[in-house]
Amino acid sequence: MDNHWTRRRFLKTAGITASAAMLGPSLFDASEALAATPLVRRDIGGLGINDPILVSYRKAVKAMQALPASDPRSWTYQAAIHGTTLSPPKTAWNTCAHGTIFFWSWHRMYLYWFEHIVRSMAGDPNWALPFWNWSSPSERQLPAAFRDTTSVLYTVNRDPAMNDGSGSLPATDVSFSAAFAFTSFASANSSIQGTPHGDVHVDVGGWMGSVPTAGQDPIFYLHHCNIDRLWNLWLAQGGGRTDPLSDAAWKNTKFTFFDETGKQVQMTGCDVLRAAQQLNYKYEGEPAQVAPFCLQVFKPPILYREIELIRWPGPPVELGPARVSFPLDIKALRQRLMSLAQSKTDTVLLAFDEVVSERPPGVVWEVYVGLPANAAPDPKSPFYVGNLSLFGAGIRSEAHHEFQPARFRFAIDGALLAAFRSKEESVAVTLVPHGILVNGKPTQRKVDSPVRIGAVSLAAQSESRQ
Ligand code: C2O
């Protein structure tokens, strides 16, 4: 018999609140089938600074900040679930899942319970989180309500230019096209964690720039709402994109949170597959949500294998304030790379492994493959393959359990094909640091801590049906 069902029946008989009983597949739950239409998480771009949604959010943040840190519904406790430097750690502290397959799902659960607490603290039972839609070119500044210095939504712990409205997010940092091009869940989940997710954290800076403090900034939850929305949009693209329903750990690992009464609750991947149906929310303007079920796997999953082709023999690559470029010798592999890059089921990846920094670097790097030596780096050129930024994984000062270096994968088929038009025997890998835009113009930021890339390689990602 299905475990979830047993547990849910038990919870119900034990008379636990409706929200706690919502755990588990909603398939069997009549009360949920009868539930009202899902709440809508709105785009903050369409909300005035005194929209009731923001009034309620301010009220709740104030009330949560007034609670003692020992209360699971307090602002301090909720932020600490994501990450904190406070010790000794309490239940569920420091549990955010970066650099893992749980990135999208853990943050969905986290927002879900946070939203319940805000709803109850604001006394606004239909409240839903708005999302910071930096995907829209008109929303690249920090939303105005968060720049109002008299508001609880403001903190001085951000980049000053983001806070005064002169700063905005560069287009490359909010682009999800690299992540969306991946059909493998693991690859998309990992790619999106870097760009746009990590880049926006770094760009907002201050508390947002570091895992142990990020949850203290009220904008955190709106940023993550947009990342959560992108999960739905990634699935809606189809083309073989699915949740990892053949991964038992992804489906069944239990994570701990607290509900609006301060009671401990647990959730698994299977509980958060269908936002509208299981969690009662959808996003303003999104297409129909794809509705995967843990109990029904109809098709054999597509398998993705990664095979290393060339490893760069040089010393670790050190990233500092200056642009860095080094050649990858490809002459022996030219034909193979060419056919992989042209294939529909294979992708050539640029792989960075063992990526490490002592502290948050505070900077985002653009990554290019095949950029000609005399050419200016241009993210609109075919040589641009994505960004590198660190947030959580790879940063030694932020390791709360065991330190884990970061890894990055960039799909480089297009860049390689462009580079192969010249007959060179090597292709350059180039990394260029950048800061946010200020008054619409690119800026440089100080590199707070250099980054070391321990291993660089080219790999082939191949897909096959089981
Ligand atoms: Cu757990 Cu945006 O971070």
Side-chain angles (χ1 to χ4, degrees), residues 80-199:
I81 290 178
H82 186 260
T84 183
T85 53
L86 297 176
S87 66
K90 297 197 197 312
T91 303
W93 282 14
N94 296 315
T95 50
C96 75
H98 299 122
T100 78
I101 191 84
F102 302 107
F103 170 72
W104 252 332
S105 55
W106 185 88
H107 288 87
R108 171 168 288 184
M109 301 172 198
Y110 180 51
L111 291 186
Y112 176 75
W113 293 108
F114 174 84
E115 192 177 52
H116 273 71
I117 292 168
V118 169
R119 213 171 265 162
S120 117
M121 289 288 177
D124 184 348
N126 291 319
W127 190 82
L129 268 165
F131 60 99
W132 178 13
N133 189 10
W134 31 247
S135 308
S136 157
S138 63
E139 294 185 51
R140 302 275 160 83
Q141 291 169 296
L142 192 70
F146 294 76
R147 287 188 263 126
D148 170 1
T149 57
T150 64
S151 163
V152 289
L153 304 183
Y154 178 84
T155 166
V156 72
N157 296 296
R158 293 178 187 138
D159 183 292
M162 290 306 291
N163 250 348
D164 71 18
S166 63
S168 60
L169 306 169
T172 54
D173 295 11
V174 295
S175 168
F176 51 81
S177 57
F180 272 36
F182 283 112
T183 50
S184 138
F185 180 91
S187 298
N189 173 76
S190 159
S191 175
I192 206 136
Q193 196 175 156
T195 307
H197 167 256
D199 296 8

Side-chain angles (χ1 to χ4, degrees), residues 178 182 187 190-191 306 349-353 385 406-412 455 457 459 461:
F182 283 112
S187 298
S190 159
S191 175
E306 187 180 301
L349 302 177
L350 170 67
F352 292 158
D353 287 283
V385 298
R407 63 199 287 281
F408 293 85
R409 296 292 182 271
F410 302 96
I412 61 167
S457 56
Q461 186 183 65

